[in-house]
Amino acid sequence: MNRKPGLHPRNRHHNRYDFAALKQSCPALANYVRLSPLGEETVDFADPQAVKTLNKALLAHFYGVQHWDIPEGFLCPPVPGRADYIHHLADLLAEGNGGAVPAQASVLDVGVGANCIYPLIGQHEYGWRFTGSETHDEAFRSAQAIIAANPGLSRAIRLRRQKQPDAIFEGIIHKNELYDATLCNPPFHDSAQSAQAGSERKRRNLGLTGADLNFGGQQQELWCEGGEVAFISKMIAESQRVARQVLWFTSLVSKGDNLPALYRALQQAGAVKVVKKEMAQGQKQSRFIAWSFQNDAQRERWAQSRFR
């Protein structure tokens, strides 16, 4: 099988989709599989229901998630790319642990979303414990339903409502709690118009002309005032207040052009260590930044007390 370039070595999605195996794990996928012009099995990636059912199959086949669904109109995440973030985060944690990925890590997912995708992948791949924060009522209920429907997940994944829409860590990281890492897929558009333009580009890339195609995504998932620079800058500012309770703060950054502004914010906040992890899936380039307020010796002591 042809391998997909750029993915992390431990990512399970290097090869083309094995639709025979996926249909066995999720029989409903058979309703959406069709032949490409080259005679190969595929799905219509312009059909939101087909993409969602493919996700169900991937999560069932690779990650043991037998029951997964999201409400109509919510973001349907690309599983291979989300898995890459988890694996690169694992490498970051391993760097301070003698090269070994810690089995006991506790991770905070900022904005867990209706899909709960990062905790599902991270718990299966590494046995980590997750806390997921969420502001949106329906998204919270959806993530809770996924956890409740899959035996064993409630012991590894807990959710917390963020009751302050403008807060990120405040009210979520409780006093005396420790987290080995935080992760986040922030809203990267700065307006509804920008989000719509992004959707239009996606449709053109797929060769579509219909005006009513919905790829999924609620307002809080896609855009916020000031875009991802404003959101991540606020996260950086808030991270100062819980600097000793978290080993690594991390966030996806969709646009490389935004990095200089974020580096300046990190310098102003007094981050001791800043790391950029590059990721790629085919032609699509992505990255996340990570920062810590602890120096090398402090991070080593953290790993010794938490991971060994």
Side-chain angles (χ1 to χ4, degrees):
M1 290 186 176
N2 296 328
R3 289 177 68 82
K4 299 175 185 175
L7 290 177
H8 189 281
R10 292 194 299 275
N11 196 311
R12 297 176 183 269
H13 307 288
H14 280 279
N15 297 321
R16 295 177 61 84
Y17 293 133
D18 182 346
F19 280 98
L22 292 175
K23 286 185 287 187
Q24 192 168 9
S25 296
C26 178
L29 183 63
N31 298 324
Y32 301 97
V33 174
R34 59 182 179 80
L35 293 180
S36 73
L38 296 177
E40 299 172 333
E41 285 192 315
T42 186
V43 298
D44 181 1
F45 286 95
D47 178 356
Q49 196 61 40
V51 173
K52 185 166 82 167
T53 308
L54 175 60
N55 267 20
K56 288 185 179 184
L58 292 171
L59 289 168
H61 183 72
F62 289 104
Y63 303 103
V65 181
Q66 298 304 316
H67 304 282
W68 182 86
D69 200 1
I70 54 174
E72 186 176 350
F74 278 79
L75 192 63
C76 192
V79 174
R82 298 299 192 258
D84 240 34
Y85 190 174
I86 291 289
H87 291 304
H88 282 284
L89 181 60
D91 288 348
L92 182 65
L93 292 177
E95 288 174 11
N97 191 42
V101 176
Q104 302 298 323
S106 181
V107 179
L108 170 62
D109 181 3
V110 176
V112 67
N115 53 68
C116 199
I117 194 73
Y118 290 120
L120 294 177
I121 295 174
Q123 197 283 323
H124 182 273
E125 294 291 64
Y126 298 112
W128 295 344
R129 301 179 307 280
F130 278 83
T131 299
S133 69
E134 182 56 53
T135 61
H136 193 282
D137 287 341
E138 191 173 7
F140 186 93
R141 288 194 298 270
S142 173
Q144 192 67 68
I146 293 169
I147 295 167
N150 291 277
L153 287 186
S154 62
R155 294 194 297 271
I157 306 171
R158 67 184 177 190
L159 302 182
R160 283 183 179 161
R161 278 296 312 276
Q162 175 52 273
K163 298 176 182 178
Q164 306 173 65
D166 294 330
I168 297 176
F169 298 124
E170 187 176 344
I172 296 298
I173 297 181
H174 294 177
K175 186 179 179 180
N176 298 325
E177 281 186 340
L178 297 177
Y179 289 94
D180 303 298
T182 72
L183 57 79
C184 181
N185 182 18
F188 52 85
H189 294 293
D190 58 8
S191 68
Q193 291 75 21
S194 173
Q196 179 64 29
S199 182
E200 292 286 345
R201 283 193 299 273
K202 186 182 290 188
R203 291 188 3 236
R204 286 197 300 271
N205 290 340
L206 289 170
L208 302 170
T209 57
D212 58 351
L213 182 64
N214 179 11
F215 284 99
Q218 300 291 299
Q219 178 266 316
Q220 78 281 357
E221 296 177 308
L222 298 178
W223 70 273
C224 69
E225 193 73 33
E228 71 177 4
V229 170
F231 188 95
I232 300 171
S233 295
K234 181 173 180 56
M235 183 185 298
I236 291 168
E238 281 199 28
S239 69
Q240 293 177 270
R241 303 173 201 164
V242 287
R244 291 290 169 253
Q245 292 179 255
V246 178
L247 179 61
W248 286 105
F249 300 90
T250 78
S251 177
L252 284 176
V253 181
S254 69
K255 299 175 183 177
D257 291 346
N258 290 335
L259 288 171
L262 296 174
Y263 289 150
R264 287 194 296 271
L266 286 164
Q267 185 176 27
Q268 291 168 2
V272 173
K273 180 76 171 180
V274 177
V275 175
K276 179 182 69 168
K277 291 281 189 177
E278 292 284 355
M279 299 181 289
Q281 186 179 351
Q283 298 300 311
K284 183 178 180 181
Q285 301 294 312
S286 183
R287 71 218 41 88
F288 71 84
I289 56 170
W291 65 97
S292 180
F293 293 95
Q294 304 185 41
N295 60 32
D296 292 350
Q298 289 169 323
R299 295 197 308 276
E300 176 68 22
R301 287 197 296 271
W302 179 293
Q304 289 176 349
S305 65
R306 299 272 294 173
F307 301 154
R308 299 175 191 172

